Amino acid sequence: MTADEKKIILASSLGTVFEWYDFYLYGSLAVIIGAKFFGQFDETTRNIFALLAFAAGFLVRPFGALVFGRLGDLVGRKYTFLITILIMGSSTFLVGILPTSDSIGISAAVILISLRILQGLAIGGEYGGAATYVAEHAPRNRRGFYTSWIQTTATLGLFMSLLVILFVQASMTANDFKAYGWRIPFLVSVLLLAVSVWIRLQLSESPAFLKMKAEGRHSKAPLSEAFGQWANAKWAILALFGLVAGQAVVWYAGQFYALFFLTGVLKVDGFSANLMVAWALAIGAFGFILFGWLSDKIGRKPIILGGCLLAALTYFPVFEYMTAIANPALAKAHDAVKVVVTSDPSDCSFQFNPTGLSKFVNSCDLAKGALARASVTYSQQDAPAGTKASVQIGDKTLDPTAKGFATDLAAALTAVGYPAASNPSVVKLATPWDIFRPQPFKLVLVLCFLMVLVTMVYGPMAAALVELFPTRIRYTSMSLPYHIGNGWFGGLLPASMFAMNAQNGSIYFGLWYPIVIAGATAVIGLLFVPETKDRDIYAGDSAEHPGDTAMEFDPNAADY
């Protein structure tokens, strides 16, 4: 690499790391933030609103892709992702100084959700700009390697947010952290913002874009050209279902859901789970670069689709192994204890609740929700219409609508072999270096395997998307499928998997969500998405009729 190329990659990657750091802070501190900004509500309601605010950041990402993708194809890549990082960094810093509901009431919640929406919009514009900018500066035979540095940023941003939170927590008492310490990670972002803006101001605009604009060949209507013409829109659809959807579910399952599975399902304490995931992220992050480099040699499709296929084939044994290692007592209870929910089938809902606004109050829903949250494996038995649901555990029958149901359920489960909260068999780390004991070491290895799958599907993704679309509409065209895939298919994964687990009485049934999507992506990508590693991504830029994109752009050709 030349010095200029290194600066381009550093500036694009570093800024994107900081953006993801900002975005993930909220997710890591959602419980505390819910108490601070929705404090006027009861605990259940404020948790609902905290989840809603987090989900808002994911749901608006495709709209950010449309807004900033269009801007990037109209006025340029550099200035667009300068705007996105300013919005992201400023919104995060403002969360750190925002008065809580104790001071300004409901206004705190309204402002917080507005800031989360701004963060989601900014993320929607950031990725496409950074990936396009780097790819348009990269040598033709090294686009996978150059853009793979962008692909490390989401993981590094998550890793950085975990480290900062753990460091701040270690430097003060738990009460102090809840009182004011949670603000520090948000406030630190202003320093990251200053560094990112300074570095990006040193960059020049993409030469390919400047040349097109100087010659008057840049798109005047990127949205209608990218999605209003079938010749272009079909490739955005194929990019979504043949590349990004599978990548998204593998990415979220391997990082976010793995962390949730450890804490929410296997009942590992947050400190230990965060440390093990942080170790896996630190070790596995090099895979992004490795697979990006390898994709320049053997192609994008074999690696991305291979990762999707491996995930589909291995998720069930991998997560079952995690249970057996992390919480052996829970795994033993699943095998030995029979729990039966008897109910009228019409009384049971599919408990899909991505925004947290839905309430499930039927007796069957109460029973299944409680058992799912307790990580209980159970079977279901149909009862006559109008029958109130009941839970059979050993020789005890419990009424889920009874006032003391939660207490009775916990006691009944403990009595038949389910581990109590103080279960000594569950993995627990005292220090970051405590991972070298057999139990945590095995878990870190499993998490590293999941990270290998993440890096396979994600490392070459930016290059693959950039190469599918012509320069004049590249920013717009690649951003929308990427953010629909990751914001919706990926962002909805935890809620979908919980609902599927609750519906079917298994802590593993929800794995069918990423397995089916990853498998479908492998098939669609293999059959319909072309290999693009040898493309000249500028060959169509000098067409005689630049407005007729359908004539100048043939993604099935070796070059275009």
Side-chain angles (χ1 to χ4, degrees), residues 234-250:
K234 69 180 180 182
W235 294 108
I237 295 171
L238 285 175
L240 172 60
F241 293 104
L243 292 172
V244 181
Q247 167 262 302
V249 296
V250 173

Side-chain angles (χ1 to χ4, degrees), residues 469-516:
F469 304 102
T471 305
R472 55 188 290 108
I473 56 170
R474 181 170 294 134
Y475 198 150
T476 303
S477 297
M478 71 167 288
S479 293
L480 186 62
Y482 174 82
H483 286 292
I484 289 178
N486 284 276
W488 293 358
F489 282 89
L492 295 177
L493 180 142
S496 300
M497 292 179 71
F498 176 84
M500 292 170 70
N501 287 344
Q503 182 74 8
N504 290 274
S506 168
I507 64 171
Y508 305 114
F509 188 83
L511 290 170
W512 282 112
Y513 178 89
I515 286 172
V516 169

Side-chain angles (χ1 to χ4, degrees), residues 33-89:
I33 289 173
K36 295 293 181 180
F37 293 97
F38 305 102
Q40 65 270 42
F41 304 110
D42 60 79
E43 183 178 359
T44 300
T45 304
R46 67 173 177 251
N47 288 340
I48 287 172
F49 278 111
L51 180 59
L52 175 61
F54 185 58
F58 284 96
L59 296 176
V60 301
R61 281 170 59 175
F63 302 102
L66 291 174
V67 172
F68 292 109
R70 176 180 180 275
L71 191 63
D73 283 327
L74 283 173
V75 303
R77 286 71 162 115
K78 171 188 173 179
Y79 293 106
T80 301
F81 68 51
L82 264 175
I83 293 171
T84 60
I85 200 166
L86 281 168
I87 294 173
M88 190 77 193

Side-chain angles (χ1 to χ4, degrees), residues 152-169:
T152 68
T153 58
T155 294
L156 292 177
L158 172 59
F159 180 68
M160 185 186 295
S161 69
L162 291 176
L163 282 186
V164 171
I165 291 169
L166 287 170
F167 177 79
V168 175
Q169 286 177 327

Side-chain angles (χ1 to χ4, degrees), residues 132-418:
T132 299
Y133 187 82
V134 171
E136 290 178 351
H137 281 85
R140 175 172 173 171
N141 63 344
R142 303 197 77 193
R143 281 192 296 266
F145 174 66
Y146 278 45
T147 57
S148 67
W149 293 92
I150 298 294
Q151 303 306 92
T152 68
T153 58
T155 294
L156 292 177
L158 172 59
F159 180 68
M160 185 186 295
S161 69
L162 291 176
L163 282 186
V164 171
I165 291 169
L166 287 170
F167 177 79
V168 175
Q169 286 177 327
S171 65
M172 60 182 62
T173 66
N175 288 335
D176 285 342
F177 185 79
K178 289 180 180 179
Y180 66 88
W182 64 271
R183 293 184 181 272
I184 295 174
F186 289 95
L187 298 176
V188 166
S189 68
V190 75
L191 301 176
L192 308 181
L193 172 63
V195 172
S196 299
V197 170
W198 180 79
I199 292 175
R200 288 191 174 186
L201 283 172
Q202 314 305 309
L203 301 179
S204 56
E205 182 56 84
S206 162
F209 178 82
L210 286 177
K211 185 172 185 294
M212 291 193 74
K213 191 168 184 179
E215 296 172 356
R217 291 185 290 103
H218 67 295
S219 178
K220 306 302 190 296
L223 292 180
S224 59
E225 195 171 326
F227 308 118
Q229 299 178 18
W230 178 243
N232 294 327
K234 69 180 180 182
W235 294 108
I237 295 171
L238 285 175
L240 172 60
F241 293 104
L243 292 172
V244 181
Q247 167 262 302
V249 296
V250 173
W251 198 97
Y252 278 86
Q255 295 187 136
F256 269 109
Y257 187 72
L259 179 58
F260 170 79
F261 189 75
L262 286 170
T263 56
V265 179
L266 303 185
K267 312 305 179 185
V268 178
D269 70 277
F271 179 79
S272 299
N274 281 331
L275 275 180
M276 289 187 291
V277 170
W279 271 106
L281 294 178
I283 296 168
F286 297 100
F288 293 111
I289 309 300
L290 170 64
F291 289 116
W293 169 82
L294 187 60
S295 76
D296 287 328
K297 311 298 181 184
I298 67 173
R300 321 301 184 205
K301 283 177 59 175
I303 299 173
I304 295 172
L305 303 184
C308 288
L309 185 60
L310 273 175
L313 294 174
T314 61
Y315 270 176
F316 273 114
V318 164
F319 279 86
E320 288 171 359
Y321 182 74
M322 286 176 65
T323 302
I325 298 299
N327 195 337
L330 181 63
K332 184 178 178 181
H334 286 162
D335 293 333
V337 178
K338 183 179 181 181
V339 177
V340 180
V341 174
T342 302
S343 66
D344 172 6
S346 65
D347 193 41
C348 303
S349 307
F350 184 65
Q351 299 185 42
F352 179 64
N353 193 16
T355 63
L357 294 177
S358 301
K359 293 184 180 297
F360 302 99
V361 296
N362 294 341
S363 60
C364 177
D365 296 336
L366 294 173
K368 287 187 173 184
L371 291 171
R373 287 188 290 274
S375 306
V376 175
T377 297
Y378 58 91
S379 60
Q380 302 171 62
Q381 183 173 311
D382 291 346
T387 303
K388 183 189 291 187
S390 63
V391 179
Q392 183 77 34
I393 305 173
D395 59 356
K396 292 186 178 295
T397 301
L398 305 179
D399 177 1
T401 63
K403 186 175 181 181
F405 174 64
T407 303
D408 294 342
L409 177 65
L413 289 172
T414 303
V416 295
Y418 269 87

